[in-house]
């Protein structure tokens, strides 16, 4: 099929997730359902890992034959998709106080990380593209809603959403590995970290790996410091600075663009002095106006005010993070 042709029928797994797939007319005493099959498969994954999930294993748990399941879920890939949809669930609702975009993205990050800790088998799911299912779509929609009032383009909002999702998935992957090692060895997470530090200590010398040696001596492998949240915070710092910068640039382009100037000229209005741009950008503007000393001073004052505002917002973000840390320590 040509990729440009419209899709007349959804793939079976996606149709099941959206509840628009036809229900089989025949089944074992009509006691079987897609929901029961998915629940049984998730129970197996929780107890034994994703590798233990098969149509025959699910059928055995439910007390039916594998062929009975195929009337409801026609392929294992469809079952995996439905398992992912069920385990992912819906994102937390946005609070009534309508938090700013950064706070909301941090909430979504923490919620995703919690899911991966509880359902680590999700990380073993094959990635075959974007999961076009209701719950997965709701998570992306929540991130895009958080960024909807920013100056980012739609492409940039999706990219920012993937930054958060990727950070949560990476943290979940590492923690899942530690959990698996802990179960196999009988060690706690702290004991796994201590064992790891001891192994590094045994083989890393100051002569061969001086900088890693310093990190080991500083206790980085047993520290309470969260490198994943640190990385996300720095990414969001950069995103905040970018939003602020392009917001000013794009607002200026919107106000001062050729279309706006033509519209003002057609209406016979005088141009707003606050929207006049730098000489290198304005083309046919009156050079006498540009040379006016008071006008140039006004432009300089605006730029200085913008810098002050940017610094104030940066301090606001820093104090917010510090307040959250103090609250967490008190808890």
């Amino acid at each position: 099929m040509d990729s440009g042709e419209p899709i007349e029928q959804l793939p079976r797994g996606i149709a099941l997730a959206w509840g628009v797939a036809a229900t089989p007319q025949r089944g074992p005493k009509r006691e079987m359902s897609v929901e029961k099959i998915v629940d049984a498969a998730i129970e197996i994954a929780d107890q034994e890992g994703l590798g233990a999930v098969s149509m025959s294993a699910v059928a055995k748990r439910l007390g039916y034959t594998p062929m009975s399941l195929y009337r409801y879920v026609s392929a294992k890939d469809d079952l995996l998709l439905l398992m992912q949809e069920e385990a992912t669930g819906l994102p937390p609702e946005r609070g009534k106080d309508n938090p700013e975009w950064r706070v909301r993205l941090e909430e979504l990050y923490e919620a995703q990380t919690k899911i991966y800790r509880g359902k680590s088998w999700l990380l073993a799911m094959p990635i075959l593209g974007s999961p076009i299912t209701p719950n997965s779509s709701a998570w992306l929609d929540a991130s895009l809603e958080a960024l909807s009032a920013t100056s980012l383009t739609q492409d940039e909002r999706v990219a920012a959403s993937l930054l958060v999702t990727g950070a949560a998935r990476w943290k979940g992957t590492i923690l899942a590995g530690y959990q698996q090692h802990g179960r196999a060895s009988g060690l706690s997470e702290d004991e796994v970290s201590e064992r790891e530090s001891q192994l590094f200590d045994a083989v890393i010398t100051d002569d061969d790996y001086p900088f890693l040696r310093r990190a080991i001596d500083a206790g980085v492998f047993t520290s309470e410091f969260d490198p994943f949240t640190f990385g996300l915070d720095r990414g969001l710092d950069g995103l905040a600075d970018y939003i602020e910068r392009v917001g000013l640039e794009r607002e200026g382009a919107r106000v001062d663009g050729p279309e706006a100037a033509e519209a003002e000229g057609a209406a016979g209005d005088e141009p707003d002095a606050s929207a006049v741009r730098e000489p290198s950008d304005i083309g046919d503007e009156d050079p006498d106006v540009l040379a006016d000393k008071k006008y140039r001073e006004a432009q300089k004052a605006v730029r200085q005010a913008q810098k002050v505002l940017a610094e104030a917002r940066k301090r606001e973000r820093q104090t917010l993070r510090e307040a959250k840390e103090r609250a967490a320590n008190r808890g």
Side-chain angles (χ1 to χ4, degrees):
M1 182 184 72
D2 189 337
S3 60
E5 295 179 2
I7 298 177
E8 296 182 357
Q9 185 174 357
L10 291 172
R12 173 73 177 174
I14 294 177
L16 285 169
W18 286 96
V20 296
T23 303
Q25 297 301 311
R26 294 186 301 162
K29 299 182 180 179
R30 305 293 295 157
E31 295 175 358
M32 184 77 75
S33 69
V34 173
E35 291 75 18
K36 288 183 178 180
I37 294 171
V38 172
D39 287 345
I42 289 176
E43 288 177 2
I44 294 173
D46 286 344
Q47 297 168 5
E48 305 175 48
L50 190 64
V53 176
S54 66
M55 299 297 276
S56 59
V58 174
K60 182 178 180 180
R61 179 169 290 249
L62 292 172
Y64 295 108
T65 65
M67 289 305 300
S68 300
L69 269 61
Y70 283 108
R71 296 193 183 101
Y72 296 83
V73 181
S74 57
K76 182 180 177 181
D77 286 345
D78 294 344
L79 177 59
L80 294 178
L81 181 68
L82 296 173
M83 290 171 62
Q84 181 177 8
E85 173 73 356
E86 179 65 22
T88 299
L90 290 170
E93 293 185 3
R94 192 167 188 169
K96 294 181 180 179
D97 55 348
N98 196 25
E100 66 164 344
W101 66 264
R102 180 169 184 151
V103 174
R104 178 57 172 159
L105 291 184
E106 289 171 345
E107 289 176 351
L108 295 173
Y109 165 80
E110 294 294 343
Q112 290 177 73
T113 301
K114 184 176 180 180
I115 290 172
Y116 288 133
R117 283 187 69 93
K119 303 288 184 184
S120 59
W121 51 265
L122 281 169
L123 298 162
M125 284 282 185
I127 299 177
L128 304 176
S130 300
I132 307 172
T133 53
N135 290 347
S136 296
S137 298
W139 281 90
L140 179 56
D141 189 71
S143 295
L144 296 177
E145 179 192 19
L147 296 163
S148 61
T150 69
S151 55
L152 297 177
T153 65
Q154 294 293 347
D155 284 339
E156 290 168 345
R157 291 172 191 174
V158 171
S161 300
L162 293 178
L163 167 70
V164 176
T165 299
R169 186 177 183 89
W170 176 236
K171 181 175 182 178
T173 299
I174 298 300
L175 294 181
Y178 275 69
Q179 289 174 342
Q180 182 176 359
H181 180 52
R183 287 192 296 268
S185 63
L187 302 175
S188 67
E189 290 187 24
D190 289 341
E191 290 171 334
V192 170
S193 296
E194 181 63 36
R195 175 63 175 165
E196 184 179 63
S197 180
Q198 291 172 353
L199 291 173
F200 269 112
D201 189 54
V203 297
I204 301 299
T205 64
D206 188 59
D207 290 338
D208 295 329
Y209 308 96
F211 299 102
L212 179 56
R213 183 68 252 176
R214 292 177 197 174
I216 295 169
D217 292 340
V220 296
F221 292 104
T222 55
S223 170
E224 295 296 324
F225 181 78
D226 185 346
F228 307 103
T229 299
F230 176 83
L232 177 68
D233 284 344
R234 302 296 73 77
L236 294 181
D237 284 346
L239 182 61
D241 291 341
Y242 179 78
I243 289 174
E244 191 167 302
R245 176 169 58 82
V246 300
L248 294 172
E249 293 174 355
R250 289 169 182 172
E251 180 64 19
R254 185 184 66 80
V255 173
D256 302 332
E259 298 82 357
E262 291 174 3
E264 289 175 345
D269 296 332
E270 291 295 327
D272 184 353
S274 66
V276 179
R277 293 163 292 171
E278 290 292 327
S280 60
D281 296 328
I282 58 171
D284 297 330
E285 293 287 358
D286 187 343
D288 292 335
V289 173
L290 301 176
D292 186 270
K293 182 178 179 180
K294 290 186 177 181
Y295 171 68
R296 303 291 293 177
E297 290 175 348
Q299 282 190 318
K300 183 178 180 180
V302 168
R303 289 193 294 270
Q304 289 175 339
Q306 290 171 343
K307 291 180 180 179
V308 171
L309 177 61
E311 183 61 30
R313 288 177 173 169
K314 185 176 181 180
R315 289 198 301 271
E316 179 188 31
R317 294 193 297 270
Q318 179 64 30
T319 55
L320 174 62
R321 287 194 295 271
E322 292 172 353
K324 290 173 65 177
E325 290 174 359
R326 287 193 294 271
N329 291 334
R330 287 195 299 269

